[in-house]
Amino acid sequence: MRVLKLLLVSCLVLGACGGDDDDDSESDAASLEDQEFVDETTSTAVTIDAIDNSFRAQYVEVAAGTTVTFENNGRNVHNVIPSEEGAFADVEAEDFEPEDTAEIVFDEPGDYAYYCSLHGTATAGMIGGIRVVE
């Protein structure tokens, strides 16, 4: 039993996920004002990759009506949860295993912060954001 507890604690410590050292994963995903966004406003469809412990591109600006496809290209199961409850439909883990995709159409202008609750929180770890403009 002691070995099982030690193994569980080790897995929790070693399995805690954060973003890559070269990204802004320690920033507050709900506060997107200071982030640099990739301009995809001329695209009608945009793909965001979930790759192990990060979203790529992490911050994307799109035009209203754009379809954003989240694609799991990593080795782990992920989910996509809006930082503000109800901002868009959750992408549940059972629907977002490796090689799965999920599409969300962003019709309303605004900032939409999101995260993977399996590999972070709304403010740290595997986070990202979508800015929707007119």
Side-chain angles (χ1 to χ4, degrees), residues 39-105:
D39 184 352
E40 292 284 356
T41 54
T42 60
S43 301
T44 57
V46 173
T47 299
I48 297 175
D49 294 319
I51 303 174
D52 300 322
N53 299 326
S54 63
F55 291 107
R56 300 289 163 112
Q58 188 173 15
Y59 300 102
V60 178
E61 184 174 71
V62 300
T66 299
T67 299
V68 175
T69 301
F70 289 91
E71 189 170 311
N72 187 344
N73 288 313
R75 299 178 306 237
N76 303 308
V77 173
H78 295 291
N79 60 16
V80 182
I81 308 295
S83 295
E84 183 180 319
E85 188 175 335
F88 59 86
D90 296 2
V91 177
E92 300 294 340
E94 58 267 10
D95 299 323
F96 204 48
E97 295 187 19
E99 300 184 23
D100 284 346
T101 61
E103 290 184 351
I104 300 173
V105 178

Side-chain angles (χ1 to χ4, degrees), residues 14 17 24 43 63:
L14 293 175
C17 299
D24 294 324
S43 301

Side-chain angles (χ1 to χ4, degrees), residues 16-28:
C17 299
D20 295 345
D21 293 336
D22 62 345
D23 68 17
D24 294 324
S25 61
E26 292 302 315
S27 64
D28 183 353

